[in-house]
Amino acid sequence: MTGSCTLSHTLLTVYHAFPPSMQLYGGAVTCSERAFFWSSTVLCYLLTFVRQQGRRNYSIVDRIWPLYPVVFLLQWQLQSERLTQQSVVIQALVYTWGLRLCFNSVRRGDYQWGAEDYRWKHVQGAFSRVFGRGLVGAVVWEIFNLGFIAVFQLALLYLIAVPARLVVLGQQPNSNGGEWDVTQAMLAVGMALALVGEAVADQQQFRFQQRKRAQGGDRVGFVHSGLWKYSRHPNVFCEGVFWALLSVFCMRASGVDFGVCENAWLWAGAAVLALLLSSSVRLTESISTSKYPAYKAYMVKTSRVVPMLARDNRDVVDIAHSFSFVRKQQ
């Protein structure tokens, strides 16, 4: 019953996300927030029709992903009448997250003309196999392009950032007046460590790819050392942890009750992001297993997302034998 209440309220909150009547902690959603969301959504969708290097590009939202939450925090700070210590900390962390992610995207060439996340081709290919390449397939893909690539992803970016609205605007009724406690301090440190972990993982991935290009290839083909020895996706783990801790921090600093149905939208963004990251990991690994023969052994040896000690080689062999035995039985 509680689960259905939480889900229904979350869906209603998303449905009424930007009408003038919506009330959030810290005041009603402003015209500037609504205008920025819908204008950016329409613009991102329309830009997918601009051909880059002879084809449409579906990584428009990917390019503004690092900056989207930052813009909303800047808007909220301009509306705010005070600046608490918690507000300074949460803004510094989100701005650091955005700038670091933007820097990583720039050096990988994601902002170059024609650059596109390689996974979109695989997604589009899957749609073509299911719905065909005719009119039906084209219509279904455009619905997906508008509904998921544009509206859903930008709405998700708003939802993961919106808990910070509580702290930045500082008008919530149960605020503790800017006083710190041990839990808040631990959450802030946890967010900082998550940013460091994600930066280290991305740096290790970047260096590996640079070395791979310089040498004309790699025997294994994918990074598997450093943090990647303990998790196949340490950057994904740190990303999810960062936004989950941010949600809890903002609710704690604002005195918001975690268990009340009306507050479900405050952690809905982090929860939906975790589901999206999980789906992204599955797609990435399906591509990796088809490209690199050794990746299946890496999957057996190394934890998927949550960092853990790698399995011993003897355990890997035993698991491989068990998989082989099951396939023979089938």
Side-chain angles (χ1 to χ4, degrees):
M1 189 69 175
T2 303
S4 61
C5 176
T6 300
L7 177 60
S8 62
H9 187 271
T10 300
L11 293 175
L12 285 173
T13 301
V14 173
Y15 176 76
H16 294 291
F18 297 98
S21 60
M22 180 183 174
Q23 297 288 324
L24 295 176
Y25 289 104
V29 174
T30 63
C31 290
S32 61
E33 289 178 64
R34 295 194 303 274
F36 177 70
F37 173 81
W38 288 116
S39 61
S40 57
T41 298
V42 172
L43 180 62
C44 285
Y45 174 69
L46 293 178
L47 285 176
T48 63
F49 289 91
V50 177
R51 291 189 172 273
Q52 300 182 24
Q53 297 183 351
R55 63 183 305 274
R56 293 175 65 181
N57 191 303
Y58 299 100
S59 278
I60 306 300
V61 173
D62 299 338
R63 295 176 182 182
I64 67 171
W65 185 285
L67 303 176
Y68 207 70
V70 171
V71 173
F72 278 114
L73 261 72
L74 288 172
Q75 287 188 28
W76 296 330
Q77 182 54 51
L78 291 175
Q79 301 168 27
S80 180
E81 298 178 354
R82 62 173 181 169
L83 186 64
T84 64
Q85 292 181 1
Q86 287 97 332
S87 178
V88 171
V89 168
I90 209 67
Q91 289 187 69
L93 288 168
V94 173
Y95 297 158
T96 301
W97 169 86
L99 291 174
R100 190 212 65 80
L101 193 58
C102 189
F103 165 76
N104 193 56
S105 298
V106 169
R107 68 176 179 173
R108 291 190 313 183
D110 295 346
Y111 290 100
Q112 293 179 2
W113 184 258
E116 183 185 53
D117 190 323
Y118 68 95
R119 290 171 293 188
W120 286 126
K121 292 181 181 178
H122 292 270
V123 174
Q124 195 170 17
F127 269 75
S128 297
R129 289 190 294 272
V130 175
F131 300 103
R133 297 182 179 275
L135 179 61
V136 173
V139 171
V140 172
W141 175 255
E142 285 307 322
I143 294 174
F144 176 79
N145 182 22
L146 175 61
F148 177 82
I149 298 179
V151 177
F152 173 81
Q153 289 195 103
L154 293 182
L156 175 58
L157 286 170
Y158 178 82
L159 279 177
I160 62 176
V162 80
R165 202 176 195 272
L166 299 170
V167 176
V168 176
L169 291 180
Q171 299 172 352
Q172 54 279 6
N174 299 322
S175 175
N176 59 11
E179 296 180 0
W180 284 83
D181 58 30
V182 175
T183 302
Q184 291 179 49
M186 292 177 63
L187 290 169
V189 171
M191 283 186 283
L193 291 176
L195 288 179
V196 171
E198 190 171 5
V200 171
D202 283 344
Q203 178 66 13
Q204 291 172 346
Q205 174 73 269
F206 179 76
R207 286 184 175 178
F208 174 83
Q209 295 298 337
Q210 291 292 98
R211 186 169 59 252
K212 181 178 175 181
R213 293 190 187 96
Q215 297 175 353
D218 180 82
R219 183 173 59 86
V220 177
F222 53 89
V223 60
H224 56 280
S225 58
L227 295 181
W228 302 81
K229 179 180 178 180
Y230 307 101
S231 168
R232 303 198 298 272
H233 304 277
N235 50 351
V236 171
F237 172 77
C238 293
E239 177 79 358
V241 167
F242 175 80
W243 291 108
L245 294 181
L246 180 140
S247 177
V248 177
F249 175 90
C250 293
M251 295 177 72
R252 176 76 180 186
S254 307
V256 175
D257 191 343
F258 288 79
V260 177
C261 180
E262 286 74 11
N263 298 330
W265 56 272
L266 289 169
W267 48 261
V272 174
L273 177 65
L275 294 176
L276 179 63
L277 292 175
S278 178
S279 299
S280 176
V281 164
R282 284 198 297 271
L283 174 60
T284 301
E285 295 206 321
S286 67
I287 298 171
S288 296
T289 52
S290 65
K291 291 174 60 178
Y292 309 115
Y295 198 85
K296 290 184 178 180
Y298 178 58
M299 292 174 66
V300 174
K301 189 177 180 67
T302 309
S303 171
R304 185 185 186 193
V305 175
V306 180
M308 296 181 182
L309 291 176
R311 289 189 177 96
D312 184 81
N313 288 333
R314 184 177 300 175
D315 296 332
V316 174
V317 172
D318 291 340
I319 294 174
H321 280 309
S322 66
F323 285 164
S324 177
F325 176 77
V326 170
R327 284 196 296 268
K328 288 180 180 180
Q329 291 296 317
Q330 294 174 344

